């Protein structure tokens, strides 16, 4: 692992490639993790609710039709005139015409009923309906009649076999029939059975009902006997009588009108949804494979992985291209610097671009030419001295060099019409001029102008995500202060408060008069607040800086600027001055600096 780390650490190119790889992998991982652990369960619940609603809707539809049939039959069960018609059916053509019309009207308004038969015990019958292609065999009709008579007037729903007389050899049809005996009810006795009513449902309508109920691929819907757990009606006739609900699930469904649960099988899990059908003794039971509930989840995951892999490939290609365009000139510059270190001052780099790297290469070439010119003018004995002077002044080359370079950038930006670059370069030039000027003491007015330039540059960087305001109380403009006293705190407000907030925010700087000869400078931002743990740590850090008499403060290097400001204030103005802060999500973060209106050596 250490060898791999060294291998990557020695190349900026490999660092960039690794960074792109980690970023893309992180995004893909977060997407998949968030979907599975936060969204997948919601989608699964929605899928279960949808299947439950579909089954309940199917059960409600069928239950309404069964109830209508039963209600129609029950109305005639207690009708005295209808009883008289049934007993004299063979000799009452007018009655046959009347009741045929009433029953035909019912069949017309209830398409699920395809055939109605009124059977008299003496052999006469009244048949109404459009059942042509299939019919009920004599022995099957006899079974239905016997069941109705045995029930003694109580209506029954029964599965019924059918056949097509025109297509011998084909498997028989399969439907449901409602049967009810007709008894001659009198005031003194229940009366004898005088006939039987048989209402036959349309196989096509039942098939359509099942098709709508089984909307999901692989799902099945059955009519099930609640007591036995056996299939009463399904798409496949041979399934009739098969046990579909085991004993333990029958016990689970007892006492519940509807509900759902999951069943585990060797072939995979199933969602079981059930709802009772009134007083029929049946229930509508639907089986939906669990894998159907997660199809959308699996599809999203697959697409996310493919998109992530494609994005990773494109990112690596872009990283390689961008890195080569950026790093190759830097490699040449690095080689040139190593040549300079070895005393080869005649090296010259190719300048292929006009960006910042190109300017650095061009400046490097000018520097080498200038060094060669200086070497040629002095005696051999003075070369060592010149090299020593160059090394001693090396720390000062960068500010002056950058200041001159910024002047070049300003000129070129003005020529190209890019006001933003011109503004940034001018502002940076002013900031560098302010920083490298000889005095260590400045004024509040000059210091606030320095911070205004800094915030203006950051405003261009963050655009609408950053706003700022600066207020200096009149009369405090010439208050003397050490240079760059507030700069670290303003930078912290931007870097730690505003830049980490997606919405951005405002930085406000104000200086107002305090008690007696004090000045209060407040630096406020409404970006991300400082968490409680870090607030406690910062309070301890400021306390340490106060107690160490200007020594190096203890704490993380990222907060050394804050510690140095505290030390500088208290060394100059005394322990009664210094920094305090507050931070919360509602009111933002405020750093308050208390200083004097004059420096100690100016008092009196």
């Amino acid at each position: 692992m250490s060898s791999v780390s060294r291998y990557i650490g020695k190349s900026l190119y490999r660092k960039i490639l690794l960074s792109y790889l980690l970023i893309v992998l992180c995004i893909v991982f977060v997407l998949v993790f968030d979907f599975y652990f936060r969204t997948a369960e919601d989608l699964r619940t929605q899928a279960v609710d949808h299947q439950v609603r579909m089954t309940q809707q199917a059960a409600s539809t069928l239950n309404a039709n069964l109830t209508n049939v039963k209600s129609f039959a029950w109305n005639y069960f207690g009708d005295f005139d209808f009883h008289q018609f049934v007993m004299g059916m063979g000799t009452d053509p007018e009655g046959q015409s009347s009741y045929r019309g009433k029953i035909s009207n019912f069949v017309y308004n209830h398409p699920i009923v395809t055939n109605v038969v009124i059977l008299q015990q003496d052999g006469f019958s009244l048949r109404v309906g459009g059942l042509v292609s299939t019919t009920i065999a004599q022995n099957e009709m006899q079974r239905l009649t016997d069941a109705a008579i045995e029930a003694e007037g109580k209506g029954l729903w029964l599965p019924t076999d059918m056949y097509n007389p025109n297509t011998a050899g084909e498997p028989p049809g399969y439907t449901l029939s409602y049967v009810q005996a007709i008894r001659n009810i009198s005031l003194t006795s229940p009366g004898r059975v005088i006939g039987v009513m048989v209402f036959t449902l349309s196989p096509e309508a039942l098939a359509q009902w099942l098709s709508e109920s089984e909307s999901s691929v692989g799902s099945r819907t059955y009519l099930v006997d609640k007591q036995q757990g056996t299939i009463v009606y399904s798409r496949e006739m041979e399934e009739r009588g098969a046990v579909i609900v085991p004993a333990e699930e029958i016990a689970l469904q007892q006492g519940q009108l509807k509900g759902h649960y999951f069943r585990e099988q060797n072939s995979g899990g199933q969602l079981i949804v059930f709802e009772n059908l009134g007083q029929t003794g049946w229930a509508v039971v639907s089986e939906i494979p669990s894998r159907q509930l997660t199809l959308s989840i699996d599809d999203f995951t697959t697409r996310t992985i493919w998109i992530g892999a494609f994005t990773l490939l494109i990112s690596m290609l872009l990283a390689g291209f961008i890195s080569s365009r950026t790093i190759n000139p830097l490699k040449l510059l690095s080689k040139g610097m190593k040549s300079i270190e070895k005393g080869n001052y005649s090296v010259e780099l190719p300048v292929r671009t006009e960006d910042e790297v190109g300017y650095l290469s061009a400046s490097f070439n000018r520097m080498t030419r200038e060094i060669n010119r200086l070497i040629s003018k002095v005696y051999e004995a003075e070369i060592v001295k010149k090299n020593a002077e160059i090394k001693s002044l090396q720390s000062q080359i960068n500010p002056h060099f950058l200041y001159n370079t910024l002047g070049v950038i300003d000129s070129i930006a003005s020529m190209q019409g890019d006001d933003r670059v011109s503004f940034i370069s001018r502002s940076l030039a002013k900031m560098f001029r302010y920083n490298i000027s000889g005095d260590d003491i400045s004024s509040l007015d000059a210091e606030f102008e320095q911070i205004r330039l800094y915030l203006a540059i950051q405003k261009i960087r963050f655009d609408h995500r950053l706003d700022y305001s600066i207020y200096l109380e009149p009369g405090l403009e010439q208050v003397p202060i050490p240079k760059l006293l507030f700069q670290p705190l303003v930078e912290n407000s931007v870097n730690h408060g505003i830049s980490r907030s997606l919405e951005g925010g405002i930085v406000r700087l104000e200086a107002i008069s305090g008690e007696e000869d004090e000045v209060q400078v407040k630096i406020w931002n409404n970006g991300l607040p400082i968490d409680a743990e870090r607030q406690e740590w910062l309070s301890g850090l400021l306390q340490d800086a106060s107690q160490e008499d200007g020594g190096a403060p203890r704490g993380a290097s990222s907060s050394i600027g804050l510690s140095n400001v505290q030390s500088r204030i208290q060394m100059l103005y005394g322990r009664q001055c210094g920094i305090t802060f507050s931070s919360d999500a509602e009111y933002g973060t405020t750093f308050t600096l208390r200083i004097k209106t004059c420096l100690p050596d100016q008092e009196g």
Side-chain angles (χ1 to χ4, degrees):
M1 181 62 69
S2 59
S3 60
V4 174
S5 178
R6 287 195 300 270
Y7 174 75
I8 295 175
K10 290 181 178 180
S11 171
L12 183 59
Y13 178 79
R14 290 190 285 268
K15 289 180 182 178
I16 293 178
L17 288 181
L18 181 62
S19 299
Y20 272 85
L21 175 64
L22 293 178
I23 289 171
V24 175
L25 287 178
C26 181
I27 292 173
V28 174
F29 175 78
V30 169
L31 286 175
V32 174
F33 181 86
D34 178 75
F35 181 79
Y36 264 112
F37 291 92
R38 296 182 60 185
T39 310
E41 189 59 34
D42 293 340
L43 291 178
R44 181 182 174 89
T45 302
Q46 293 174 12
V48 172
D49 292 343
H50 173 73
Q51 295 297 338
V52 171
R53 287 196 302 271
M54 291 291 294
T55 300
Q56 291 175 351
Q57 182 178 352
S60 298
T61 301
L62 183 60
N63 193 47
N65 286 315
L66 299 185
T67 301
N68 289 335
V69 172
K70 184 176 181 180
S71 298
F72 183 79
W74 186 257
N75 289 336
Y76 284 106
F77 178 79
D79 189 338
F80 178 77
D81 292 338
F82 181 69
H83 296 169
Q84 297 302 312
F85 162 71
V86 172
M87 287 187 292
M89 186 183 298
T91 60
D92 187 4
E94 182 178 349
Q96 282 202 14
S97 176
S98 174
Y99 282 106
R100 182 183 298 276
K102 293 178 181 179
I103 296 174
S104 296
N105 186 57
F106 173 78
V107 172
Y108 177 80
N109 291 323
H110 298 80
I112 195 172
V113 180
T114 189
N115 198 25
V116 180
V117 179
I118 310 297
L119 297 172
Q120 188 197 53
Q121 288 292 85
D122 295 337
F124 293 100
S125 65
L126 173 64
R127 299 176 181 271
V128 179
L131 190 62
V132 176
S133 60
T134 56
T135 186
I136 302 175
Q138 184 64 35
N139 58 346
E140 184 70 359
M141 182 63 76
Q142 186 63 47
R143 182 180 71 85
L144 298 177
T145 302
D146 293 343
I149 294 173
E150 186 178 349
E152 299 182 347
K154 180 181 178 182
L156 298 174
W157 282 100
L158 299 172
T160 306
D161 293 333
M162 308 184 72
Y163 73 96
N164 188 340
N166 299 321
T167 56
E170 291 189 1
Y174 183 36
T175 188
L176 299 175
S177 296
Y178 179 78
V179 297
Q180 184 168 15
I182 307 171
R183 305 188 67 169
N184 184 18
I185 300 175
S186 64
L187 296 177
T188 58
S189 65
R192 64 185 179 87
V193 175
I194 59 176
V196 174
M197 290 184 289
V198 180
F199 293 77
T200 305
L201 301 187
S202 167
E204 292 80 8
L206 288 175
Q208 177 67 23
W209 171 76
L210 279 176
S211 176
E212 294 175 354
S213 303
E214 300 172 348
S215 58
S216 300
V217 177
S219 64
R220 295 295 306 276
T221 300
Y222 310 94
L223 286 180
V224 177
D225 188 312
K226 293 189 295 184
Q227 299 299 324
Q228 305 297 325
T230 55
I231 296 176
V232 177
Y233 190 85
S234 73
R235 279 192 287 126
E236 306 296 336
M237 183 175 178
E238 58 271 15
E239 292 179 340
R240 183 171 60 177
V243 176
I244 190 65
V245 181
E248 60 272 15
E249 294 184 11
I250 293 177
L252 181 65
Q253 295 182 13
Q254 289 297 327
Q256 299 187 53
L257 296 178
K258 58 185 177 180
H260 69 277
Y261 54 89
F262 284 92
R263 174 195 295 166
E264 294 297 330
Q265 292 183 337
N266 294 333
S267 59
Q270 289 181 322
L271 170 65
I272 308 299
V273 184
F274 66 91
E275 181 162 354
N276 293 343
L277 286 177
Q279 301 176 356
T280 63
W282 298 344
V284 176
V285 177
S286 294
E287 296 179 342
I288 302 96
S290 296
R291 64 179 181 275
Q292 292 295 323
L293 305 176
T294 58
L295 284 178
S296 60
I297 303 172
D298 296 338
D299 178 65
F300 177 85
T301 304
T302 302
R303 286 189 290 110
T304 301
I305 293 174
W306 279 108
I307 291 172
F310 178 76
T311 304
L312 178 61
L313 176 61
I314 296 300
S315 298
M316 296 302 291
L317 293 176
L318 286 175
F321 175 76
I322 295 172
S323 298
S324 63
R325 300 277 296 189
T326 304
I327 294 175
N328 287 341
L330 292 178
K331 287 182 177 179
L332 293 175
L333 185 59
S334 176
K335 290 180 180 179
M337 294 298 294
K338 290 179 180 178
S339 297
I340 293 292
E341 290 177 357
K342 295 177 180 179
N344 181 14
Y345 301 108
S346 60
V347 63
E348 186 163 347
L349 304 179
V351 181
R352 299 189 179 95
T353 62
E354 297 182 358
D355 56 12
E356 291 84 350
V357 178
Y359 279 118
L360 287 175
S361 298
S363 299
F364 177 84
N365 291 337
R366 287 195 297 271
M367 183 182 68
T368 57
R369 288 194 295 268
E370 182 65 16
I371 291 174
N372 280 322
R373 187 182 66 83
L374 292 174
I375 290 175
S376 64
K377 285 186 175 182
V378 297
Y379 295 103
E380 191 68 27
E382 294 180 345
I383 292 179
V384 175
K385 180 180 177 181
K386 287 294 183 181
N387 287 335
E389 291 176 355
I390 290 172
K391 289 182 179 179
S392 67
L393 295 175
Q394 190 173 5
S395 61
Q396 299 179 13
I397 290 177
N398 290 336
H400 291 287
F401 170 70
L402 290 175
Y403 178 76
N404 294 331
T405 303
L406 288 171
V408 175
I409 294 174
D410 182 25
S411 301
I412 295 175
S414 299
M415 293 171 61
Q416 297 296 326
D418 193 333
D419 293 334
R420 295 178 304 168
V421 176
S422 178
F423 173 80
I424 292 174
S425 62
R426 288 197 305 272
S427 299
L428 283 176
K430 292 178 182 178
M431 293 177 69
F432 278 116
R433 185 184 297 114
Y434 178 83
N435 291 341
I436 65 177
S437 62
D439 276 330
D440 293 329
I441 303 300
S442 183
S443 63
L444 268 179
D445 186 40
E447 188 74 5
F448 271 39
E449 179 61 25
Q450 178 79 352
I451 292 175
R452 183 179 288 106
L453 293 172
Y454 169 77
L455 290 175
I457 294 173
Q458 293 288 27
K459 171 67 176 174
I460 294 175
R461 173 191 173 194
F462 289 99
D463 197 10
H464 63 278
R465 291 182 57 218
L466 172 64
D467 283 319
Y468 65 92
S469 65
I470 297 176
Y471 172 74
L472 177 59
E473 181 179 316
L476 300 179
E477 291 87 352
Q478 300 306 316
V479 171
I481 60 167
K483 272 188 178 179
L484 302 178
L485 187 64
F486 313 133
Q487 187 77 17
L489 300 182
V490 176
E491 290 179 1
N492 284 345
S493 296
V494 175
N495 295 332
H496 299 294
I498 304 302
S499 67
R500 296 184 181 180
S501 171
L502 294 178
E503 296 82 8
I506 302 172
V507 175
R508 185 169 65 231
L509 175 68
E510 65 177 19
I512 57 176
S513 299
E515 299 177 359
E516 299 179 353
D517 59 343
E518 287 186 355
V519 175
Q520 286 190 0
V521 179
K522 295 185 178 182
I523 301 167
W524 170 87
N525 76 86
N526 63 345
L528 290 181
I530 306 173
D531 59 63
E533 182 179 356
R534 187 164 180 83
Q535 287 191 47
E536 182 178 356
W537 183 83
L538 286 176
S539 297
L541 189 68
L542 292 176
Q543 184 67 24
D544 288 348
S546 300
Q547 295 174 356
E548 293 184 15
D549 297 322
R554 297 190 300 268
S557 59
S558 60
S559 298
I560 195 168
L562 181 62
S563 302
N564 285 339
V565 172
Q566 176 80 323
S567 298
R568 292 175 69 191
I569 291 175
Q570 295 192 345
M571 281 191 299
L572 284 172
Y573 302 106
R575 295 294 177 85
Q576 71 274 20
C577 297
I579 302 174
T580 58
F581 72 95
S582 64
S583 180
D584 58 56
E586 182 177 1
Y587 298 105
T589 301
T590 303
F591 281 86
T592 303
L593 290 79
R594 294 175 55 207
I595 60 175
K596 299 289 187 178
T597 56
C598 58
L599 297 175
D601 57 359
Q602 296 176 335
E603 293 180 355

